[in-house]
mmCIF file of all heavy atoms in Angstrom:
data_model
loop_
_atom_site.group_PDB
_atom_site.id
_atom_site.type_symbol
_atom_site.label_atom_id
_atom_site.label_comp_id
_atom_site.label_asym_id
_atom_site.label_seq_id
_atom_site.Cartn_x
_atom_site.Cartn_y
_atom_site.Cartn_z
ATOM 1 N N VAL A 120 -17.664 16.055 25.747
ATOM 2 C CA VAL A 120 -17.494 17.322 26.457
ATOM 3 C C VAL A 120 -18.857 17.930 26.745
ATOM 4 O O VAL A 120 -19.142 18.366 27.864
ATOM 5 C CB VAL A 120 -16.631 18.304 25.631
ATOM 6 C CG1 VAL A 120 -16.624 19.686 26.265
ATOM 7 C CG2 VAL A 120 -15.212 17.783 25.499
ATOM 8 N N LYS A 121 -19.702 17.895 25.744
ATOM 9 C CA LYS A 121 -21.044 18.445 25.905
ATOM 10 C C LYS A 121 -21.796 17.738 27.026
ATOM 11 O O LYS A 121 -22.458 18.372 27.853
ATOM 12 C CB LYS A 121 -21.818 18.309 24.596
ATOM 13 C CG LYS A 121 -23.237 18.873 24.656
ATOM 14 C CD LYS A 121 -24.024 18.562 23.415
ATOM 15 C CE LYS A 121 -24.512 17.122 23.399
ATOM 16 N NZ LYS A 121 -25.351 16.811 22.222
ATOM 17 N N ASN A 122 -21.683 16.420 27.068
ATOM 18 C CA ASN A 122 -22.403 15.662 28.093
ATOM 19 C C ASN A 122 -21.929 15.972 29.505
ATOM 20 O O ASN A 122 -22.729 16.018 30.445
ATOM 21 C CB ASN A 122 -22.311 14.157 27.817
ATOM 22 C CG ASN A 122 -23.152 13.760 26.621
ATOM 23 O OD1 ASN A 122 -24.077 14.474 26.233
ATOM 24 N ND2 ASN A 122 -22.842 12.617 26.024
ATOM 25 N N VAL A 123 -20.633 16.207 29.647
ATOM 26 C CA VAL A 123 -20.133 16.589 30.967
ATOM 27 C C VAL A 123 -20.709 17.960 31.346
ATOM 28 O O VAL A 123 -21.088 18.188 32.497
ATOM 29 C CB VAL A 123 -18.588 16.635 31.021
ATOM 30 C CG1 VAL A 123 -18.119 17.116 32.386
ATOM 31 C CG2 VAL A 123 -18.003 15.274 30.714
ATOM 32 N N CYS A 124 -20.819 18.830 30.379
ATOM 33 C CA CYS A 124 -21.401 20.158 30.634
ATOM 34 C C CYS A 124 -22.836 20.047 31.126
ATOM 35 O O CYS A 124 -23.261 20.782 32.024
ATOM 36 C CB CYS A 124 -21.370 21.021 29.370
ATOM 37 S SG CYS A 124 -19.724 21.595 28.911
ATOM 38 N N ILE A 125 -23.580 19.135 30.531
ATOM 39 C CA ILE A 125 -24.972 18.951 30.924
ATOM 40 C C ILE A 125 -25.051 18.519 32.380
ATOM 41 O O ILE A 125 -25.830 19.056 33.172
ATOM 42 C CB ILE A 125 -25.673 17.930 30.003
ATOM 43 C CG1 ILE A 125 -25.820 18.526 28.599
ATOM 44 C CG2 ILE A 125 -27.037 17.547 30.553
ATOM 45 C CD1 ILE A 125 -26.283 17.558 27.538
ATOM 46 N N GLU A 126 -24.193 17.554 32.718
ATOM 47 C CA GLU A 126 -24.128 17.080 34.103
ATOM 48 C C GLU A 126 -23.723 18.223 35.034
ATOM 49 O O GLU A 126 -24.325 18.441 36.092
ATOM 50 C CB GLU A 126 -23.094 15.952 34.177
ATOM 51 C CG GLU A 126 -23.058 15.213 35.498
ATOM 52 C CD GLU A 126 -21.802 14.351 35.648
ATOM 53 O OE1 GLU A 126 -21.098 14.121 34.631
ATOM 54 O OE2 GLU A 126 -21.520 13.931 36.788
ATOM 55 N N PHE A 127 -22.724 18.950 34.608
ATOM 56 C CA PHE A 127 -22.182 20.051 35.390
ATOM 57 C C PHE A 127 -23.260 21.079 35.735
ATOM 58 O O PHE A 127 -23.372 21.565 36.862
ATOM 59 C CB PHE A 127 -21.050 20.710 34.564
ATOM 60 C CG PHE A 127 -20.098 21.575 35.334
ATOM 61 C CD1 PHE A 127 -18.817 21.816 34.829
ATOM 62 C CD2 PHE A 127 -20.450 22.176 36.529
ATOM 63 C CE1 PHE A 127 -17.919 22.620 35.510
ATOM 64 C CE2 PHE A 127 -19.557 22.995 37.218
ATOM 65 C CZ PHE A 127 -18.287 23.213 36.705
ATOM 66 N N ARG A 128 -24.101 21.391 34.755
ATOM 67 C CA ARG A 128 -25.124 22.417 34.975
ATOM 68 C C ARG A 128 -26.095 22.012 36.070
ATOM 69 O O ARG A 128 -26.582 22.855 36.827
ATOM 70 C CB ARG A 128 -25.869 22.722 33.688
ATOM 71 C CG ARG A 128 -25.006 23.411 32.655
ATOM 72 C CD ARG A 128 -25.824 24.035 31.571
ATOM 73 N NE ARG A 128 -26.465 25.262 32.035
ATOM 74 C CZ ARG A 128 -27.425 25.877 31.382
ATOM 75 N NH1 ARG A 128 -27.894 25.382 30.250
ATOM 76 N NH2 ARG A 128 -27.945 26.996 31.854
ATOM 77 N N ASN A 129 -26.378 20.734 36.164
ATOM 78 C CA ASN A 129 -27.262 20.262 37.230
ATOM 79 C C ASN A 129 -26.668 20.561 38.595
ATOM 80 O O ASN A 129 -27.372 20.971 39.516
ATOM 81 C CB ASN A 129 -27.510 18.760 37.099
ATOM 82 C CG ASN A 129 -28.351 18.428 35.877
ATOM 83 O OD1 ASN A 129 -29.170 19.246 35.438
ATOM 84 N ND2 ASN A 129 -28.159 17.252 35.331
ATOM 85 N N TYR A 130 -25.364 20.361 38.703
ATOM 86 C CA TYR A 130 -24.706 20.620 39.983
ATOM 87 C C TYR A 130 -24.594 22.108 40.284
ATOM 88 O O TYR A 130 -24.593 22.531 41.441
ATOM 89 C CB TYR A 130 -23.337 19.948 40.033
ATOM 90 C CG TYR A 130 -23.437 18.434 40.110
ATOM 91 C CD1 TYR A 130 -22.805 17.623 39.162
ATOM 92 C CD2 TYR A 130 -24.185 17.816 41.108
ATOM 93 C CE1 TYR A 130 -22.910 16.247 39.217
ATOM 94 C CE2 TYR A 130 -24.303 16.441 41.169
ATOM 95 C CZ TYR A 130 -23.664 15.654 40.221
ATOM 96 O OH TYR A 130 -23.779 14.294 40.271
ATOM 97 N N CYS A 131 -24.524 22.898 39.252
ATOM 98 C CA CYS A 131 -24.516 24.353 39.454
ATOM 99 C C CYS A 131 -25.848 24.781 40.033
ATOM 100 O O CYS A 131 -25.914 25.589 40.978
ATOM 101 C CB CYS A 131 -24.294 25.098 38.133
ATOM 102 S SG CYS A 131 -22.614 25.011 37.512
ATOM 103 N N GLU A 132 -26.899 24.218 39.456
ATOM 104 C CA GLU A 132 -28.238 24.562 39.923
ATOM 105 C C GLU A 132 -28.428 24.128 41.374
ATOM 106 O O GLU A 132 -29.034 24.830 42.174
ATOM 107 C CB GLU A 132 -29.275 23.888 39.031
ATOM 108 C CG GLU A 132 -30.647 24.546 39.128
ATOM 109 C CD GLU A 132 -31.655 23.885 38.210
ATOM 110 O OE1 GLU A 132 -31.273 23.521 37.073
ATOM 111 O OE2 GLU A 132 -32.805 23.720 38.645
ATOM 112 N N ALA A 133 -27.862 22.979 41.701
ATOM 113 C CA ALA A 133 -27.974 22.460 43.063
ATOM 114 C C ALA A 133 -26.988 23.149 44.006
ATOM 115 O O ALA A 133 -26.999 22.945 45.214
ATOM 116 C CB ALA A 133 -27.720 20.965 43.061
ATOM 117 N N GLN A 134 -26.119 23.962 43.429
ATOM 118 C CA GLN A 134 -25.090 24.682 44.187
ATOM 119 C C GLN A 134 -24.219 23.741 45.003
ATOM 120 O O GLN A 134 -23.878 24.015 46.157
ATOM 121 C CB GLN A 134 -25.734 25.747 45.096
ATOM 122 C CG GLN A 134 -26.632 26.690 44.311
ATOM 123 C CD GLN A 134 -26.768 28.056 44.956
ATOM 124 O OE1 GLN A 134 -26.337 28.274 46.077
ATOM 125 N NE2 GLN A 134 -27.364 28.986 44.231
ATOM 126 N N ASN A 135 -23.867 22.638 44.391
ATOM 127 C CA ASN A 135 -23.040 21.630 45.043
ATOM 128 C C ASN A 135 -21.580 21.853 44.647
ATOM 129 O O ASN A 135 -21.139 21.453 43.560
ATOM 130 C CB ASN A 135 -23.522 20.240 44.593
ATOM 131 C CG ASN A 135 -22.814 19.128 45.325
ATOM 132 O OD1 ASN A 135 -21.662 19.267 45.727
ATOM 133 N ND2 ASN A 135 -23.510 18.011 45.488
ATOM 134 N N LEU A 136 -20.837 22.473 45.525
ATOM 135 C CA LEU A 136 -19.464 22.868 45.201
ATOM 136 C C LEU A 136 -18.559 21.682 44.893
ATOM 137 O O LEU A 136 -17.809 21.683 43.910
ATOM 138 C CB LEU A 136 -18.872 23.706 46.342
ATOM 139 C CG LEU A 136 -17.457 24.227 46.116
ATOM 140 C CD1 LEU A 136 -17.390 25.116 44.874
ATOM 141 C CD2 LEU A 136 -16.955 25.006 47.331
ATOM 142 N N GLU A 137 -18.671 20.656 45.729
ATOM 143 C CA GLU A 137 -17.795 19.496 45.545
ATOM 144 C C GLU A 137 -17.997 18.846 44.181
ATOM 145 O O GLU A 137 -17.034 18.538 43.470
ATOM 146 C CB GLU A 137 -18.074 18.484 46.655
ATOM 147 C CG GLU A 137 -16.918 17.551 46.943
ATOM 148 C CD GLU A 137 -17.222 16.661 48.145
ATOM 149 O OE1 GLU A 137 -17.424 17.212 49.238
ATOM 150 O OE2 GLU A 137 -17.295 15.421 47.956
ATOM 151 N N GLU A 138 -19.251 18.669 43.831
ATOM 152 C CA GLU A 138 -19.553 18.046 42.540
ATOM 153 C C GLU A 138 -19.145 18.952 41.387
ATOM 154 O O GLU A 138 -18.719 18.479 40.333
ATOM 155 C CB GLU A 138 -21.042 17.699 42.446
ATOM 156 C CG GLU A 138 -21.447 16.530 43.329
ATOM 157 C CD GLU A 138 -20.708 15.242 42.976
ATOM 158 O OE1 GLU A 138 -20.480 14.992 41.777
ATOM 159 O OE2 GLU A 138 -20.327 14.503 43.904
ATOM 160 N N CYS A 139 -19.298 20.246 41.599
ATOM 161 C CA CYS A 139 -18.896 21.188 40.549
ATOM 162 C C CYS A 139 -17.392 21.099 40.312
ATOM 163 O O CYS A 139 -16.922 21.113 39.169
ATOM 164 C CB CYS A 139 -19.260 22.622 40.946
ATOM 165 S SG CYS A 139 -20.992 23.012 40.670
ATOM 166 N N LEU A 140 -16.651 20.981 41.397
ATOM 167 C CA LEU A 140 -15.194 20.869 41.264
ATOM 168 C C LEU A 140 -14.830 19.574 40.548
ATOM 169 O O LEU A 140 -13.938 19.541 39.703
ATOM 170 C CB LEU A 140 -14.530 20.932 42.648
ATOM 171 C CG LEU A 140 -14.544 22.321 43.297
ATOM 172 C CD1 LEU A 140 -14.164 22.238 44.772
ATOM 173 C CD2 LEU A 140 -13.584 23.261 42.562
ATOM 174 N N ARG A 141 -15.535 18.510 40.896
ATOM 175 C CA ARG A 141 -15.292 17.229 40.232
ATOM 176 C C ARG A 141 -15.582 17.348 38.738
ATOM 177 O O ARG A 141 -14.836 16.850 37.886
ATOM 178 C CB ARG A 141 -16.170 16.149 40.866
ATOM 179 C CG ARG A 141 -15.887 14.743 40.340
ATOM 180 C CD ARG A 141 -16.876 13.737 40.923
ATOM 181 N NE ARG A 141 -18.266 14.024 40.571
ATOM 182 C CZ ARG A 141 -18.847 13.680 39.432
ATOM 183 N NH1 ARG A 141 -18.158 13.032 38.505
ATOM 184 N NH2 ARG A 141 -20.107 13.980 39.206
ATOM 185 N N CYS A 142 -16.673 18.040 38.421
ATOM 186 C CA CYS A 142 -17.029 18.230 37.009
ATOM 187 C C CYS A 142 -15.983 19.047 36.254
ATOM 188 O O CYS A 142 -15.722 18.776 35.077
ATOM 189 C CB CYS A 142 -18.393 18.914 36.890
ATOM 190 S SG CYS A 142 -19.772 17.793 37.158
ATOM 191 N N THR A 143 -15.432 20.014 36.935
ATOM 192 C CA THR A 143 -14.389 20.813 36.274
ATOM 193 C C THR A 143 -13.223 19.926 35.892
ATOM 194 O O THR A 143 -12.664 20.041 34.798
ATOM 195 C CB THR A 143 -13.863 21.925 37.210
ATOM 196 O OG1 THR A 143 -14.947 22.501 37.898
ATOM 197 C CG2 THR A 143 -13.150 22.998 36.431
ATOM 198 N N ARG A 144 -12.864 19.041 36.806
ATOM 199 C CA ARG A 144 -11.740 18.152 36.524
ATOM 200 C C ARG A 144 -12.083 17.214 35.362
ATOM 201 O O ARG A 144 -11.265 16.978 34.474
ATOM 202 C CB ARG A 144 -11.378 17.339 37.774
ATOM 203 C CG ARG A 144 -10.703 18.172 38.860
ATOM 204 C CD ARG A 144 -10.084 17.282 39.932
ATOM 205 N NE ARG A 144 -11.082 16.557 40.701
ATOM 206 C CZ ARG A 144 -11.655 17.030 41.806
ATOM 207 N NH1 ARG A 144 -11.353 18.235 42.244
ATOM 208 N NH2 ARG A 144 -12.540 16.296 42.472
ATOM 209 N N LYS A 145 -13.304 16.710 35.413
ATOM 210 C CA LYS A 145 -13.753 15.804 34.357
ATOM 211 C C LYS A 145 -13.769 16.513 33.003
ATOM 212 O O LYS A 145 -13.353 15.953 31.984
ATOM 213 C CB LYS A 145 -15.154 15.311 34.710
ATOM 214 C CG LYS A 145 -15.580 14.064 33.993
ATOM 215 C CD LYS A 145 -16.816 13.460 34.650
ATOM 216 C CE LYS A 145 -17.387 12.354 33.765
ATOM 217 N NZ LYS A 145 -18.648 11.807 34.286
ATOM 218 N N LEU A 146 -14.234 17.735 33.036
ATOM 219 C CA LEU A 146 -14.322 18.537 31.822
ATOM 220 C C LEU A 146 -12.932 18.801 31.253
ATOM 221 O O LEU A 146 -12.691 18.669 30.053
ATOM 222 C CB LEU A 146 -15.006 19.854 32.153
ATOM 223 C CG LEU A 146 -15.791 20.588 31.074
ATOM 224 C CD1 LEU A 146 -16.742 19.676 30.358
ATOM 225 C CD2 LEU A 146 -16.550 21.756 31.701
ATOM 226 N N GLN A 147 -12.038 19.146 32.132
ATOM 227 C CA GLN A 147 -10.655 19.409 31.742
ATOM 228 C C GLN A 147 -10.066 18.181 31.078
ATOM 229 O O GLN A 147 -9.417 18.243 30.050
ATOM 230 C CB GLN A 147 -9.848 19.787 32.991
ATOM 231 C CG GLN A 147 -8.411 20.179 32.737
ATOM 232 C CD GLN A 147 -8.282 21.528 32.077
ATOM 233 O OE1 GLN A 147 -8.610 22.562 32.671
ATOM 234 N NE2 GLN A 147 -7.788 21.533 30.849
ATOM 235 N N PHE A 148 -10.342 17.031 31.684
ATOM 236 C CA PHE A 148 -9.835 15.768 31.172
ATOM 237 C C PHE A 148 -10.399 15.468 29.787
ATOM 238 O O PHE A 148 -9.654 15.205 28.841
ATOM 239 C CB PHE A 148 -10.174 14.642 32.148
ATOM 240 C CG PHE A 148 -9.818 13.275 31.624
ATOM 241 C CD1 PHE A 148 -8.491 12.863 31.572
ATOM 242 C CD2 PHE A 148 -10.806 12.423 31.153
ATOM 243 C CE1 PHE A 148 -8.151 11.611 31.068
ATOM 244 C CE2 PHE A 148 -10.473 11.167 30.655
ATOM 245 C CZ PHE A 148 -9.145 10.760 30.610
ATOM 246 N N GLU A 149 -11.721 15.507 29.675
ATOM 247 C CA GLU A 149 -12.358 15.197 28.390
ATOM 248 C C GLU A 149 -11.906 16.152 27.300
ATOM 249 O O GLU A 149 -11.685 15.763 26.153
ATOM 250 C CB GLU A 149 -13.895 15.245 28.520
ATOM 251 C CG GLU A 149 -14.494 14.096 29.291
ATOM 252 C CD GLU A 149 -14.286 12.751 28.620
ATOM 253 O OE1 GLU A 149 -13.985 12.694 27.404
ATOM 254 O OE2 GLU A 149 -14.419 11.724 29.315
ATOM 255 N N TYR A 150 -11.782 17.393 27.671
ATOM 256 C CA TYR A 150 -11.352 18.392 26.704
ATOM 257 C C TYR A 150 -9.926 18.098 26.220
ATOM 258 O O TYR A 150 -9.638 18.158 25.028
ATOM 259 C CB TYR A 150 -11.440 19.802 27.302
ATOM 260 C CG TYR A 150 -10.725 20.828 26.468
ATOM 261 C CD1 TYR A 150 -11.269 21.259 25.257
ATOM 262 C CD2 TYR A 150 -9.475 21.320 26.847
ATOM 263 C CE1 TYR A 150 -10.586 22.164 24.448
ATOM 264 C CE2 TYR A 150 -8.794 22.222 26.043
ATOM 265 C CZ TYR A 150 -9.348 22.635 24.851
ATOM 266 O OH TYR A 150 -8.670 23.524 24.061
ATOM 267 N N SER A 151 -9.044 17.783 27.152
ATOM 268 C CA SER A 151 -7.650 17.483 26.785
ATOM 269 C C SER A 151 -7.559 16.289 25.854
ATOM 270 O O SER A 151 -6.815 16.313 24.875
ATOM 271 C CB SER A 151 -6.813 17.186 28.029
ATOM 272 O OG SER A 151 -6.816 18.281 28.882
ATOM 273 N N VAL A 152 -8.323 15.268 26.179
ATOM 274 C CA VAL A 152 -8.301 14.069 25.342
ATOM 275 C C VAL A 152 -8.793 14.411 23.938
ATOM 276 O O VAL A 152 -8.170 14.049 22.938
ATOM 277 C CB VAL A 152 -9.185 12.956 25.958
ATOM 278 C CG1 VAL A 152 -9.317 11.788 24.995
ATOM 279 C CG2 VAL A 152 -8.599 12.489 27.281
ATOM 280 N N LEU A 153 -9.904 15.134 23.880
ATOM 281 C CA LEU A 153 -10.467 15.513 22.584
ATOM 282 C C LEU A 153 -9.468 16.335 21.773
ATOM 283 O O LEU A 153 -9.273 16.107 20.585
ATOM 284 C CB LEU A 153 -11.752 16.320 22.781
ATOM 285 C CG LEU A 153 -12.382 16.819 21.480
ATOM 286 C CD1 LEU A 153 -12.966 15.658 20.679
ATOM 287 C CD2 LEU A 153 -13.476 17.845 21.762
ATOM 288 N N LYS A 154 -8.829 17.249 22.452
ATOM 289 C CA LYS A 154 -7.863 18.110 21.769
ATOM 290 C C LYS A 154 -6.755 17.272 21.141
ATOM 291 O O LYS A 154 -6.399 17.454 19.989
ATOM 292 C CB LYS A 154 -7.287 19.118 22.758
ATOM 293 C CG LYS A 154 -6.423 20.162 22.095
ATOM 294 C CD LYS A 154 -6.062 21.311 23.022
ATOM 295 C CE LYS A 154 -5.292 22.350 22.219
ATOM 296 N NZ LYS A 154 -4.292 23.053 22.978
ATOM 297 N N ASN A 155 -6.247 16.319 21.916
ATOM 298 C CA ASN A 155 -5.205 15.439 21.388
ATOM 299 C C ASN A 155 -5.691 14.646 20.186
ATOM 300 O O ASN A 155 -4.995 14.524 19.183
ATOM 301 C CB ASN A 155 -4.740 14.458 22.466
ATOM 302 C CG ASN A 155 -3.795 15.119 23.447
ATOM 303 O OD1 ASN A 155 -3.133 16.096 23.115
ATOM 304 N ND2 ASN A 155 -3.726 14.591 24.646
#
Side-chain angles (χ1 to χ4, degrees):
Chain A
V120 172
K121 181 187 77 177
N122 288 339
V123 177
C124 288
I125 292 170
E126 189 194 346
F127 198 157
R128 292 196 75 193
N129 291 331
Y130 290 124
C131 286
E132 200 179 321
Q134 306 206 351
N135 186 330
L136 182 60
E137 204 175 299
E138 288 300 322
C139 280
L140 288 167
R141 186 185 61 82
C142 282
T143 319
R144 288 193 293 271
K145 199 166 169 185
L146 208 49
Q147 184 72 66
F148 174 74
E149 288 296 342
Y150 167 73
S151 300
V152 172
L153 177 70
K154 188 169 185 213
N155 282 335

